[in-house]
Structures are given as C-alpha cells and as structure tokens.
Amino acid sequence: MSTEAPNAVPLLEMRGIGKRFAGVDALRDVDFDLRRGEVHVLMGANGAGKSTLMKILSGAYPMDAGEVRLDGVPVELKNSRTARELGIAIIYQHFSQVPHLSVAENIFLGREPVRFGIIDYRRLHADAREAIAQVGLEAEAGEPVLNLSVSRRQMVEIAKALSLKSKILIMDEPTSALTQRETATLFEIINSLKARGIGIIYISHRLEELRDLGTRVTVMRDGRVVGTRPIAGTEMSDLVRMMAGKEIVRSSGRAATGARPGREALRVEGLERRGKLRGISFAIREGEIVGLFGLMGSGRTELARAIFGVDRPDSGRIFLFGEEVSIANPGTAVARGLGFLTEDRLNSGLAMTMGVGGNISLPSLPGFRRYGLALDLARENREAGRLIRDFRIKTSGTGQMVKFLSGGNQQKVVFAKWIMAESRILLLDDPTQGIDVEAKEEVHRFILDFAHGRGRSVLFISSELPEIIGVSDRILVIRDGALVREVGPGEASQELLLSLALGAQA
Ligand code: ADP
Ligand code: MG
C-alpha cells in the first residue's frame, strides 16, 4: 500500500490537462494524481494518450490546458530541465543513453563534477558507485553502457533518477524487454523506492505482474481518463472493458467488393524460435488480408521476421502457393514474391540518403538486369515515376533523397517499391504507425486494393484496434509467442481482441 493516507495532499495532481496536435485532441480534461510511495499503473490501448500525458509531466511537451501541482503547489513545467529540477524523472523505453560512454558518465551526463575546470573523474566515479549501489546494480562505474543488458541499462536510468533526487519516477512498459529474473530484480528496487516515499507512474498492461506492487490503476481511452480503481479487487476483464469502450464494429472492405479469397498463398506450419515463437501455424489465401494483433513483445514482429528470412526459425515449415520453401535470407524471400514493410522504417525500411526512385527500384534490381543490361536506368525511372504518381507521393522527383520526405510519404515509397518488385504477399508491420490521418487512409486504401482488387495477400500487423478491425478480413491474436485464437469478421471487437492479447477472461 501507499505510505500515505489517501486524504493527504498528493505528491502530484494533474487537473484538466488538455493537449492538441494539429487540431486533434490527444488529451481532454485529464485528471491524474499520485501519492507518496505509490505505484500508480496507467493503462490504455494504443493511442489512448498515455505517453502524451507523461511527456507533459516530464516537460517534453507543453500542455494546452490544465494545472499541475506538486505537494499542493502549482508548478510550471517549462521544459524537461525544469521538470527534472522539480524531481520528475522519466525512463523511456528507448533509453536516451550514450552507448559508448561509461555508466558514471551517463548517470551524470551534463552535470559531471568539475575540479580546476576539468571533469573530476575520481569524484564522478565515487558518486556513480554510490548511485549504482542504491539500485543494487552490479556494474563498474567506468564500464561503457553498451556492455550492459537492457535490464541493467534500465537500472542505470533508475540510478540516474535517484542521483537527481527525483520524487516521481515514470516508467513506460519497463518489463516488456526483461526476463522473469530481471523483472523480479526491478520489482525489488521499485519496492525499496516505494518505501522511501517515491511515487511511481508505471505504464503496463501486465496486471497480474503488478498485483503486489501497484496500488491504483487508471485507464485512459481516446485522450480521456475512463476511471481510476484500486488494484486489489479489480480484474483484468474490468479494465479491458474500460479500455475498449463502446464501439461500432466495422467489417472490412470485402463485403463491399464481394471479392472471394482464392488459392492458398502462404502457409506456415509449426514455426518455432526459441523464446520468441511457439508452434505458429496459419495460412493466408490470395485476395486476403489477415490481421495479426498482439501487444508489444508478443512475437508479432518476430513472426514476420522469421517468415521473411531475417531470423532463422529453429523449426517449422513455410509453403508458398502450395510449395514448401526454404527462406534462408530476405533476398530469397523477395525472389519468391514476398515483401516486408518493417515497423522501423528509419532503420531497415528505406535507404534514407538514396533518391525516391532508387529506393522504389531497390528490390527489383535483378528484374532490370533481365535483359543483360547492368541497369536499365531509363526504365527504372519511368516505372518509379509512374508509381510516384499512382501513390501520390509528395516529392520533387525521383532523385530527391528519401530522408526529406514526410513519414507518410516515406511509407508510400516502401509500398511502391514492393509493387514494383511485383510482390504477391506483403508482410506489413504496423505500417501506419506515426503517420498522419490522411496518409493513413491512403495506406488503408492501398492494402484493400492490393488484396481485394489485385487478388494478392497481406499479413497486416497493427497495434491499433479500430484499424486492424476495419481493414482485416480475419484477425489472428498472438500472445507470448503463440497464436491464441483466430477472430472472424463478425465477432471482431476491441474488447475481444484486447482480452485475448492480454490473456484476460473475456
Ligand atoms: P499512447 O501512449 O497511449 O499509445 P499517445 O500519447 O502516444 O498514446 O498518443 C495519443 C494520441 O496523440 C494519438 O492519437 C497520437 O496519434 C497522437 N499524438 C501523439 N504524439 C503526437 C505528435 N507528436 N504529433 C501528432 N500527434 C501525436
Ligand atoms: Mg505510448
């Protein structure tokens, strides 16, 4: 339990918080509070507003409306520095650490002790050792953080927060990358922080894991707080209902086009990859969009990577158009008619410093060499130009570097390149993540046309419920590396998908 009486002035009060992005309400009239020594869990489906609320609290975004009080006193969170000075620390999923710098340098980055105008390494290391000891981290102060595992890097972040005398610690899904043992260690540390009166805001959907640790849970949906409950006596199914809310189930475009799926395009049988994928079997037919829904770390990306030959599965069979194939690497996958749009288009989806045209024709190069030419540049350019028009890619021309395009237009370049490569099966990993509404709708239209219009096949991974329900013909739910169930178009609802993905009783 919290070390504080519920009626005392809370450590943190956020009242009536509002935030708009480009005319869209990301947060509306949000109330949230945190007591000393409390772990307050924050839940909500993707896009509910959790991260935005926490970014406001940590000074990363200004708020458009509302008030924040610390110990009952109104404060102004001008920027991340003022938030930090007020004792608010946020631990991001993707750490802001400098990998080649030492543990000590990362903890005291920008505030290293100085003596005679130079960094006092002796004191830096002594201070760091003290901070490391507080979180029970076994690491040398001088060790580069890139040597550390994800969990130990997380400990470094916590050590940093403590050295800043933080009173409020924000953690965004901290255990999604941790093993059970590492999670246990993290929870021991969190318990000791609670005992010291530090308040912790903890974004996670793993309610059972948090039973002993957490005190209250707040659920957000569509930028609003749905409710706050004590964790004791609250069931995951209650929270799922709060997260999902009321809805109108829209079925996919299939009903409208009347298109029927054709022969089997892709079949996966008993795919296994140690610790990641467990006995995955499913099939996709021509003309079908099969959704794959799962939470972060559920194995959805690993599944796509294994099919595309990025990671080698330990066992299992893959069939393309009825023929068993061995996909040793992405090159083989592309030659076999597969295309893969990765979740992380910045790192693996595009060659950022290459031109739009060059990116579009990248996987098709063997095709251009078919006629004995090294490269038929004229044809390449013509085709790329046609696709730029078809996809309405906003660019100054085929030569413009991809890095200067907006996220939505970059995503369209990726689609264009797979069309040019004549892919018959596309694996799409969260293709609309982080792009604007208009580009999103175009991506949806593209997917529907690719499958229902051209009779091709799509495995559609998405973490957004309305989207995956709206676009897919049927949906597979993945949890802890295994397919839990297939959900047909008639029964697809946010509540059902969430409860299957979370492992809650529906
Ligand atoms: P959650 O963390 O619960 O998944 P977010 O806070 O990331 O949700 O997003 C809430 C809403 O605000 C979403 O509709 C999202 O698209 C939008 N949003 C978040 N950050 C930005 C941004 N920088 N620009 C525009 N829209 C944003
Ligand atoms: Mg988030």
Side-chain angles (χ1 to χ4, degrees):
M1 264 326 275
S2 162
T3 55
E4 179 185 312
N7 55 357
V9 174
L11 176 58
L12 164 75
E13 284 172 284
M14 301 180 84
R15 290 281 167 264
I17 308 293
K19 176 75 188 168
R20 286 172 80 81
F21 288 112
V24 179
D25 280 311
L27 296 176
R28 269 175 297 182
D29 201 21
V30 168
D31 291 346
F32 182 87
D33 67 64
L34 180 70
R35 300 169 190 153
R36 283 170 206 81
E38 170 181 49
V39 175
H40 191 154
V41 178
L42 189 56
M43 283 189 193
N46 198 51
K50 308 176 297 288
S51 295
T52 303
L53 186 66
M54 292 304 108
K55 282 181 182 161
I56 285 174
L57 180 57
S58 59
Y61 289 158
M63 56 194 187
D64 297 329
E67 188 186 47
V68 177
R69 287 167 182 264
L70 291 179
D71 294 313
V73 180
V75 292
E76 199 190 336
L77 302 164
K78 282 199 218 77
N79 49 45
S80 11
R81 194 183 156 159
T82 43
R84 205 161 45 230
E85 284 166 1
L86 287 164
I88 300 163
I90 183 160
I91 295 169
Y92 285 110
Q93 265 156 2
H94 304 287
F95 309 124
S96 47
Q97 292 164 344
V98 187
H100 60 270
L101 290 188
S102 69
V103 169
E105 286 164 320
N106 269 287
I107 293 176
F108 292 99
L109 203 63
R111 50 189 182 102
E112 297 88 350
V114 174
R115 198 161 175 246
F116 308 123
I118 54 165
I119 294 179
D120 181 352
Y121 277 99
R122 185 197 286 259
R123 226 191 96 204
L124 175 68
H125 282 196
D127 290 352
R129 273 194 296 275
E130 192 182 318
I132 299 171
Q134 283 194 26
V135 296
L137 176 69
E138 285 163 31
E140 294 297 325
E143 203 169 342
V145 295
L146 58 83
N147 285 356
L148 305 181
S149 65
V150 174
S151 65
R152 294 166 84 211
R153 290 181 70 166
Q154 214 161 38
M155 301 304 169
V156 172
E157 291 287 285
I158 297 174
K160 179 177 178 172
L162 294 181
S163 76
L164 283 160
K165 308 266 179 284
S166 306
K167 295 181 286 186
I168 297 171
L169 207 59
I170 305 163
M171 298 194 186
D172 201 342
E173 299 207 50
T175 65
S176 59
L178 303 189
T179 64
Q180 273 185 346
R181 242 192 78 207
E182 291 170 336
T183 301
T185 312
L186 176 69
F187 285 3
E188 271 175 40
I189 291 166
I190 292 179
N191 265 320
S192 75
L193 301 181
K194 280 169 68 175
R196 291 163 56 173
I198 292 172
I200 294 155
I201 304 170
Y202 193 104
I203 300 180
S204 170
H205 293 111
R206 304 179 183 209
L207 182 74
E208 294 320 316
E209 197 176 88
L210 298 167
R211 282 255 179 242
D212 301 329
L213 200 66
T215 42
R216 293 183 295 162
V217 51
T218 288
V219 175
M220 292 184 72
R221 186 203 328 140
D222 296 335
R224 295 174 184 276
V225 166
V226 186
T228 299
R229 305 268 184 279
I231 283 183
T234 298
E235 294 302 324
M236 195 61 214
S237 53
D238 304 329
L239 299 171
V240 166
R241 267 192 294 278
M242 291 164 77
M243 278 188 250
K246 289 191 182 63
E247 66 190 317
I248 307 139
V249 180
R250 291 181 299 135
S251 83
S252 77
R254 170 162 329 279
T257 61
R260 289 192 165 276
R263 63 186 171 134
E264 184 183 281
L266 166 72
R267 182 149 54 97
V268 169
E269 275 183 12
L271 209 63
E272 291 271 348
R273 194 170 143 77
R274 228 172 73 91
K276 300 282 185 191
L277 300 172
R278 297 185 287 134
I280 304 257
S281 301
F282 69 94
I284 306 180
R285 292 198 281 166
E286 289 185 319
E288 249 197 330
I289 303 164
V290 173
L292 180 66
F293 182 73
L295 302 177
M296 196 186 317
S298 58
R300 49 187 203 189
T301 296
E302 281 75 13
L303 177 56
R305 287 170 60 95
I307 296 171
F308 199 65
V310 184
D311 304 324
R312 274 320 283 273
D314 299 325
S315 61
R317 305 164 78 185
I318 295 175
F319 299 81
L320 291 174
F321 303 98
E323 186 195 335
E324 181 162 7
V325 292
S326 161
I327 301 175
N329 53 57
T332 319
V334 173
R336 295 270 183 185
L338 283 168
F340 183 19
L341 192 145
T342 58
E343 181 177 35
D344 187 356
R345 71 179 167 265
L346 291 181
N347 286 327
S348 43
L350 288 169
M352 286 293 164
T353 54
M354 265 176 68
V356 173
N359 266 282
I360 292 177
S361 46
L362 207 52
S364 333
L365 288 180
F368 287 107
R369 288 202 189 93
R370 200 177 298 150
Y371 308 101
L373 302 166
L375 208 62
D376 184 344
L377 280 172
R379 189 177 149 224
E380 178 195 338
N381 257 314
R382 229 172 20 247
E383 290 278 308
R386 187 177 57 77
L387 287 163
I388 288 171
R389 278 192 304 280
D390 282 1
F391 281 94
R392 284 182 276 160
I393 297 170
K394 290 193 191 81
T395 171
S396 59
T398 51
Q400 188 181 21
M401 268 191 223
V402 161
K403 70 173 174 187
F404 296 120
L405 266 51
S406 71
N409 281 296
Q410 288 178 353
Q411 205 63 313
K412 289 193 223 168
V413 170
V414 184
F415 279 116
K417 89 177 181 187
W418 293 124
I419 289 293
M420 186 133 154
E422 299 187 331
S423 302
R424 293 192 290 175
I425 303 167
L426 284 186
L427 313 173
L428 306 178
D429 194 357
D430 237 343
T432 67
Q433 185 197 166
I435 65 177
D436 62 58
V437 181
E438 209 179 311
K440 203 175 206 167
E441 280 170 5
E442 288 193 40
V443 166
H444 293 165
R445 265 201 301 282
F446 166 81
I447 296 172
L448 291 167
D449 174 63
F450 184 79
H452 299 168
R454 298 173 191 236
R456 302 195 171 160
S457 315
V458 175
L459 181 69
F460 180 48
I461 302 176
S462 170
S463 44
E464 241 184 80
L465 287 160
E467 170 179 89
I468 201 164
I469 294 171
V471 173
S472 314
D473 296 318
R474 54 192 168 92
I475 302 167
L476 307 169
V477 182
I478 185 167
R479 177 162 60 87
D480 293 336
L483 292 183
V484 200
R485 224 189 93 177
E486 178 181 317
V487 177
E491 54 173 347
S493 72
Q494 300 193 18
E495 186 174 333
L496 177 62
L497 292 174
L498 267 175
S499 53
L500 290 169
L502 292 163
Q505 285 331 92

